[in-house]
Amino acid sequence: MTDINPSTAAAPSPDVTRTAFEGESIWLPRLSVEHLNAGHDAIRGKTFTECLIEGPAVMLPAGDVVFEDCHMGTAASPQNLLLAPVGDLVTGAIGVADCRFVRCRFLYVGFVGHEAFREMFAAGVPSLSSLQESGQ
C-alpha cells in the first residue's frame, strides 16, 4: 500500500493576496477560511469574473458588493435565497466586502443582510424562471 502525503494530494491553498479570479470554481467556505487564517475579517477587494461560486454557504455582503449579470442559483425567486438576521450581529456567515461578481454563477449560496440589502437584492436579481424565459 502506498501512503499519500496530504500536502501533495490536497489542492493548493487559495492565495489570499489575489485580487482577480477569472473562469474558476471557487469553493466559498475554503476561500473564507483561508482569509480568516491570514487574519482578515472578510473576503475583501476581489473581482470574480465568470466564476462558479460554490457553497454550501451563506454570504454576508458588506460595503460595495456588486453582482453584474450573475446567475444566483436554482431558486424560483430571489427571495428564496435571502435570510434575515434576527439579532444585531450575524455569526457564521461568510463576510464579503467591496467585491465585484461579473457573470458568475452561484451554487448553494444564500445571502443574509439588512432589510435594504434584501429589498435591493430581490428587486435586482432575475429569478431562474425569468432567465429560462429569456433563453439564458
Side-chain angles (χ1 to χ4, degrees):
M1 183 195 282
T2 305
D3 289 333
I4 297 175
N5 181 346
S7 64
T8 59
S13 295
D15 179 0
V16 298
T17 63
R18 283 181 64 187
T19 59
F21 299 81
E22 187 167 349
E24 299 177 47
S25 291
I26 308 293
W27 189 37
L28 198 53
R30 181 166 186 193
L31 187 63
S32 173
V33 166
E34 294 295 336
H35 279 76
L36 292 171
N37 287 341
H40 304 286
D41 63 346
I43 299 168
R44 185 178 309 277
K46 313 284 185 199
T47 298
F48 300 89
T49 305
E50 296 179 354
C51 290
L52 173 61
I53 311 297
E54 297 180 89
V58 174
M59 182 186 290
L60 174 62
D64 187 22
V65 176
V66 176
F67 301 97
E68 293 179 23
D69 299 322
C70 291
H71 185 286
M72 304 312 282
T74 58
S77 168
Q79 284 100 354
N80 293 342
L81 299 171
L82 295 171
L83 302 167
V86 178
D88 59 349
L89 181 66
V90 176
T91 302
I94 296 173
V96 177
D98 305 321
C99 288
R100 183 180 190 130
F101 297 89
V102 181
R103 295 180 306 279
C104 290
R105 183 172 158 240
F106 289 79
L107 184 62
Y108 303 118
V109 178
F111 301 85
V112 63
H114 54 76
E115 186 174 357
F117 164 77
R118 294 190 316 271
E119 289 173 0
M120 179 226 33
F121 186 94
V125 178
S127 67
L128 178 62
S129 58
S130 68
L131 288 174
Q132 289 172 336
E133 290 168 8
S134 68
Q136 293 183 358

